[in-house]
Amino acid sequence: MDTATLTILFEDPFWVGLYQRRRAGTYQVCKITFGPEPRDNQVYDLLLRHWHELCFTPPLPDRAELERRVSPKRQQRAIHREVASGLPGTKAQQALQAQREQGKAERTIQSRRQREREEQRRYALRQQKRKEKRRGH
């Protein structure tokens, strides 16, 4: 089933049209920048006369067919969870959060390396003890 939708919205400072089409299990989108607020006849003229000039994205698998329908209550819970775990408000807070996350990642890597070194040391010690036992001391 072929479907197409054109959504016109304002992205400061221009009016933009998002033309989405679904065809045979694929999804493509094209972004059209209008400038000032377009009139209906301008949009209609664009679609009729300049159709071949529109540049669509490469076909992607259509997620609408892949995703199953989610109940409204479950969707509402997911939205609340996402909002509650959102990023801090100011740029400074976001920068500090990014710095903390980077430090955490570095500490994780460093502790993993230290743990591996300790395991190698213990393994070498066990091997050495085995060799000493075989010598007959």
Side-chain angles (χ1 to χ4, degrees), residues 25-50:
T26 61
Y27 172 79
Q28 293 179 304
V29 66
C30 174
K31 183 175 179 181
I32 307 163
T33 305
F34 289 110
E37 184 174 3
R39 295 192 176 96
D40 290 341
N41 60 354
Q42 291 173 332
V43 174
Y44 188 68
D45 182 55
L46 175 85
L47 293 178
L48 285 180
R49 297 198 178 149
H50 302 285

Side-chain angles (χ1 to χ4, degrees), residues 3-133:
T3 59
T5 58
L6 177 66
T7 307
I8 298 176
L9 48 110
F10 183 72
E11 287 183 5
D12 198 27
F14 301 111
W15 284 85
V16 173
L18 289 177
Y19 191 79
Q20 305 169 1
R21 68 179 179 193
R22 290 179 168 86
R23 178 186 299 165
T26 61
Y27 172 79
Q28 293 179 304
V29 66
C30 174
K31 183 175 179 181
I32 307 163
T33 305
F34 289 110
E37 184 174 3
R39 295 192 176 96
D40 290 341
N41 60 354
Q42 291 173 332
V43 174
Y44 188 68
D45 182 55
L46 175 85
L47 293 178
L48 285 180
R49 297 198 178 149
H50 302 285
W51 172 258
H52 61 281
E53 296 173 6
L54 296 179
C55 182
F56 285 93
T57 61
L60 301 170
D62 191 9
R63 290 187 165 218
E65 292 179 2
L66 298 177
E67 294 178 358
R68 63 183 195 133
R69 190 169 182 277
V70 179
S71 70
K73 283 186 177 181
R74 187 179 302 256
Q75 188 175 16
Q76 192 73 24
R77 284 187 211 118
I79 290 170
H80 284 299
R81 238 182 276 121
E82 193 172 320
V83 168
S85 69
L87 293 174
T90 65
K91 286 184 180 182
Q93 289 174 331
Q94 290 176 1
L96 290 172
Q97 181 67 27
Q99 184 180 12
R100 281 192 292 269
E101 289 174 1
Q102 183 180 8
K104 182 179 178 181
E106 290 173 1
R107 282 191 307 276
T108 304
I109 291 170
Q110 189 176 9
S111 64
R112 184 184 316 129
R113 287 181 183 158
Q114 185 177 359
R115 188 172 50 245
E116 288 173 355
R117 283 194 302 260
E118 181 64 24
E119 287 176 7
Q120 288 175 354
R121 187 187 66 79
R122 286 182 188 168
Y123 179 75
L125 188 61
R126 279 196 316 262
Q127 294 298 87
Q128 184 181 3
K129 284 183 179 181
R130 281 185 180 174
K131 285 182 181 179
E132 287 177 2
K133 283 183 179 180

